[in-house]
């Protein structure tokens, strides 16, 4: 069931409208010169509507990936142990599946024009850390030593973010995030996901 905002728009529509308005303004004025008030005015929604969806203006860009990461974190938390990493691969493959062009992809390809270079680096690190923490917890439950758990979790979470960035930077219609993630998986396959004896 889709609930409606006060303006009568379905929630998903308002969220997408806000994201579109933010990207337009970031391109026109730059990230730092754009306020939340500017975004809500352009989108035709109230300031409170903005904060129903996003906690900050940078979250506008990440909301689609944030939803996917939240789902993956929940799924990873539900796995009792994964000594071979098969559940990790399944969950992360699901995370990147059918990823469609959105405000994040637009921001990544136009970061300099939008004045977002530093912001994207910081925000990507936050998302990577969130995913990495859930991966580390599962690695520890699976018998991996703490140091190895940190390394393997950071590697797999980096693979996800690297796949999204490579896909965005390759341009529209040139492959999928899933294909870029497959490339990343091949790059990390030398790192085993298995229980350590120490």
């Amino acid at each position: 069931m889709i609930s409606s905002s006060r303006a009568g728009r379905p929630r998903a529509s308002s969220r997408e409208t806000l994201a579109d308005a933010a990207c337009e303004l970031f391109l026109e004025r730059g990230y730092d010169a754009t306020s939340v008030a500017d975004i809500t005015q352009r989108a035709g929604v109230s300031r409170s509507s903005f904060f129903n969806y996003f906690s900050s203006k940078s979250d506008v860009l990440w909301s689609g990936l944030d939803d996917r990461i939240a789902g993956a974190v929940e799924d990873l938390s539900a796995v009792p142990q994964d000594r071979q990493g098969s559940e990790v691969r399944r969950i992360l493959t699901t995370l990147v599946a059918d990823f469609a062009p959105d405000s994040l992809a637009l921001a990544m390809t136009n970061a300099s024009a939008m004045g977002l270079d530093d912001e994207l680096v910081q925000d990507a690190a936050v998302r990577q850390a969130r995913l990495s923490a859930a991966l580390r917890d599962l690695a520890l439950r699976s018998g991996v030593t703490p140091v190895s758990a940190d390394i393997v979790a950071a590697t797999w979470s980096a693979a996800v973010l690297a796949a999204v960035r490579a896909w965005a930077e390759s341009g529209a219609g040139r492959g999928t995030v899933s294909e870029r993630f497959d490339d990343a998986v091949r790059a990390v396959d030398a790192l085993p996901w298995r229980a350590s004896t120490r």
Side-chain angles (χ1 to χ4, degrees):
M1 179 174 153
I2 298 174
S3 60
S4 297
S5 68
R6 280 183 237 148
R9 296 181 193 197
R11 283 187 173 266
S13 176
S14 292
R15 183 168 155 170
E16 291 164 9
T17 301
L18 283 161
D20 290 346
C23 284
E24 289 172 8
L25 288 164
F26 296 162
L27 279 169
E28 290 171 17
R29 302 177 185 178
Y31 178 80
D32 289 335
T34 301
S35 68
V36 169
D38 295 331
I39 296 167
T40 57
Q41 183 177 8
R42 174 72 60 97
V45 301
S46 69
R47 183 177 171 85
S48 62
S49 291
F50 179 93
F51 290 107
N52 283 338
Y53 306 109
F54 313 111
S55 59
S56 69
K57 68 180 179 180
S58 68
D59 285 348
V60 171
L61 302 174
W62 293 90
S63 64
L65 185 59
D66 282 345
D67 289 346
R68 288 168 175 263
I69 289 173
V73 166
E74 186 176 324
D75 291 345
L76 290 163
S77 298
V79 177
Q81 65 177 357
D82 187 17
R83 292 190 181 272
Q84 300 305 315
S86 57
E87 284 300 295
V88 166
R89 288 176 189 240
R90 181 189 63 76
I91 291 166
L92 297 183
T93 299
T94 299
L95 188 160
V96 299
D98 303 320
F99 201 97
D102 67 357
S103 54
L104 179 59
L106 182 65
M108 285 180 168
T109 56
N110 294 283
S112 294
M114 291 181 170
L116 277 168
D117 291 311
D118 292 340
E119 190 74 29
L120 284 178
V121 169
Q122 293 168 5
D123 289 345
V126 168
R127 274 69 188 185
Q128 184 175 335
R130 189 176 301 147
L131 184 56
S132 184
L135 288 161
R136 181 183 191 275
D137 289 346
L138 177 53
L140 292 173
R141 289 194 306 274
S142 303
V144 178
T145 63
V147 170
S148 294
D150 281 338
I151 293 167
V152 75
T155 301
W156 281 106
S157 59
V160 170
L161 273 295
V164 172
R165 179 171 297 282
W167 165 75
E169 291 174 351
S170 69
R174 295 190 177 173
T176 64
V177 179
S178 293
E179 290 168 341
R180 298 297 70 80
F181 183 66
D182 289 344
D183 295 341
V185 168
R186 283 191 288 278
V188 299
D189 265 342
L191 299 171
W193 182 279
R194 58 188 156 88
S196 174
T197 56
R198 283 186 56 179

